[in-house]
Amino acid sequence: MAQTITQKILAKAANRKFVEPGESVWLNVDILLTHDVCGPPTIDIFREEFGADAKVWNTDKVVVLPDHYIFTANEHAHRNIDLLRQFAKEQGLNHYYDVGTDRYKGVCHVALAEEGFNLPGTVLFGTDSHTCTSGAFGMFGTGIGNTDAAFILGTGKLWEKVPESIKFTFDGEMPAYLTAKDLILQILGDITTDGATYMAMEFDGEAIFSLPMEERMTLTNMAIEGGGMNGIIAADKIAEEYVKARSNKPYELFQSDPDARYHSKYHYNVRDLEPVVAQPHSPDNRATVRSVAGTKITKSYIGSCTGGKLTDFMLAAKILKGQKVSVTTNIVPATVLVARSLETEQYEGVSLKKIFEDAGCSVALPSCAACLGGPADTVGRSVDNDVVVSTTNRNFPGRMGSKHAGVYLASPLTAAASAITGKLTDPRDFL
């Protein structure tokens, strides 16, 4: 029987040849991810349910990447790190990346890819809704709650319902002014924030497979903003090259069958699309940049698991080189590796970091920073009456700090162009 790529991966994890959307199955988990926000309560539940001296099911399959509230004086944030550190030591976890050491990596969803944990055909669960980012590698990744994560810690399994799939096909050659962020915001404007609830969002088409891996990660990252259980792109040669450069572990490639059944299908030609933003206060409140051009902003923020990857900064540098920003502009690399790359990667003979600094931007240390608001001393945190253009993934009231601020979600190109003018600006004005 015909299956989608998501069905095939879940069937493999359930030791089955076929699974049907809507049925629930036991899945064998390949990787469990957690971080400093949800890790401590997950640990508490694990100890309560499995016993104070219980051991995790597999010390090589638990990945702990603190990343949310890192560079802060907040005592509660520090306590969470201490709890993770203690648990990792007690359990002998092989993949704990401690803060303040050379093992610290940064934002978990990007670090997973960099460290070779994203393998096609595998199943990843994480205590973070943006775990769906990893689906860019032809694997299943989704966010879960702390109780489910605690159950996986003790058993290595989880009972899950197989989702239906929606297919989004993007044809045509990507124009220079369009990015993956524009594509996913276009989708969200069409389906709304609950249009894909508990479904797999599958991305396909010439334009998708022309994208580098980090741009594909932007697409799958924001599947959850449409309510999706997971986002997924079949692994191709580009994905395989990325994986093989970072891991020697075996993996399996899956493709959707041509006659697989979908809940619905959407078809786009990228040549018909243009740069867009999500206006306050929802990721589906789409508008073309030109329709809101001239709206004054107070800050520009380029960072997060969605918009803080090296590819994002390469895009921003194309706009910012030789320019000066007119509003506070925060450059927040997702990971330590990205931060180092800002110093070595160049655009037109100049390092990205120098381009940003010469333009008047502030380059921060790698973490989630203001994407989730954070303590009062968090870099880039919004304050009352701020109007922020941001490459992050959510713009609900209070998401980036103050409930009395407005956030426009945008591509790195749009965020950079707007930083220069101090108002929402279509990047085509600078390209």
Side-chain angles (χ1 to χ4, degrees), residues 315-330:
L315 290 168
K318 291 180 180 180
I319 300 287
L320 290 170
K321 186 175 185 292
Q323 303 283 348
K324 292 289 185 181
V325 299
S326 59
V327 295
T328 299
T329 301
N330 293 293

Side-chain angles (χ1 to χ4, degrees), residues 330-345:
N330 293 293
I331 301 292
V332 189
T335 65
V336 172
L337 181 59
V338 174
R340 290 172 181 163
S341 297
L342 295 185
E343 300 179 1
T344 58
E345 293 293 324

Side-chain angles (χ1 to χ4, degrees), residues 4-27:
T4 66
I5 182 174
T6 295
Q7 286 175 260
K8 290 182 178 182
I9 294 171
L10 296 185
K12 175 193 173 187
N15 294 318
R16 300 259 298 270
K17 290 185 178 180
F18 179 85
V19 292
E20 185 77 30
E23 73 169 311
S24 294
V25 293
W26 282 108
L27 300 176

Side-chain angles (χ1 to χ4, degrees), residues 34-272:
T34 193
H35 51 54
D36 53 305
V37 173
C38 296
T42 295
I43 292 166
D44 287 345
I45 297 168
F46 169 71
R47 286 172 171 158
E48 180 180 345
E49 298 299 330
F50 289 93
D53 298 323
K55 297 297 182 181
V56 302
W57 100 100
N58 190 321
T59 56
D60 201 43
K61 293 188 175 185
V62 180
V63 180
V64 185
L65 284 157
D67 60 357
H68 275 61
Y69 303 142
I70 306 302
F71 302 108
T72 173
N74 185 277
E75 61 181 286
H76 302 293
H78 292 175
R79 175 180 173 274
N80 276 5
I81 301 298
D82 290 340
L83 293 171
L84 293 182
R85 187 178 293 128
Q86 178 184 355
F87 184 73
K89 183 178 180 180
E90 291 173 355
Q91 295 286 333
L93 299 184
N94 300 322
H95 305 301
Y96 172 59
Y97 298 92
D98 202 2
V99 176
T101 73
D102 58 6
R103 283 178 58 81
Y104 174 71
K105 300 300 177 185
V107 179
C108 60
H109 309 300
V110 180
L112 278 176
E114 293 175 348
E115 297 302 307
F117 290 108
N118 287 348
L119 299 174
T122 59
V123 169
L124 161 74
F125 287 100
T127 59
D128 188 291
S129 60
H130 291 106
T131 304
C132 50
T133 306
S134 295
F137 292 83
M139 60 184 286
F140 178 85
T142 194
I144 54 174
N146 300 333
T147 302
D148 281 352
F151 185 83
I152 293 174
L153 272 180
T155 67
K157 299 178 182 294
L158 195 61
W159 178 251
E160 283 288 338
K161 185 171 74 172
V162 179
E164 291 185 279
S165 294
I166 304 178
K167 190 170 189 176
F168 301 89
T169 302
F170 288 86
D171 289 327
E173 182 180 350
M174 286 283 286
Y177 54 80
L178 214 60
T179 72
K181 185 65 169 289
D182 297 298
L183 303 189
I184 191 63
L185 291 180
Q186 178 70 35
I187 288 172
L188 294 174
D190 289 341
I191 70 171
T192 75
T193 53
D194 62 359
T197 299
Y198 208 90
M199 296 185 194
M201 294 177 65
E202 182 179 329
F203 304 97
D204 196 9
E206 174 191 359
I208 300 302
F209 290 105
S210 72
L211 296 173
M213 287 310 301
E214 291 185 345
E215 277 283 84
R216 298 181 194 187
M217 290 165 66
T218 298
L219 276 174
T220 52
N221 171 273
M222 290 188 67
I224 183 61
E225 314 317 334
M229 183 183 191
N230 65 302
I232 194 161
I233 301 170
D236 62 357
K237 182 180 178 181
I238 293 174
E240 285 198 84
E241 288 176 351
Y242 187 105
V243 170
K244 288 178 179 178
R246 293 159 178 82
S247 175
N248 58 8
K249 292 182 179 179
Y251 58 83
E252 188 172 355
L253 301 179
F254 291 96
Q255 299 273 347
S256 291
D257 293 324
D259 54 345
R261 288 190 292 113
Y262 290 88
H263 171 274
S264 52
K265 296 181 179 180
Y266 291 79
H267 192 276
Y268 303 88
N269 189 307
V270 293
R271 286 291 180 181
D272 298 330

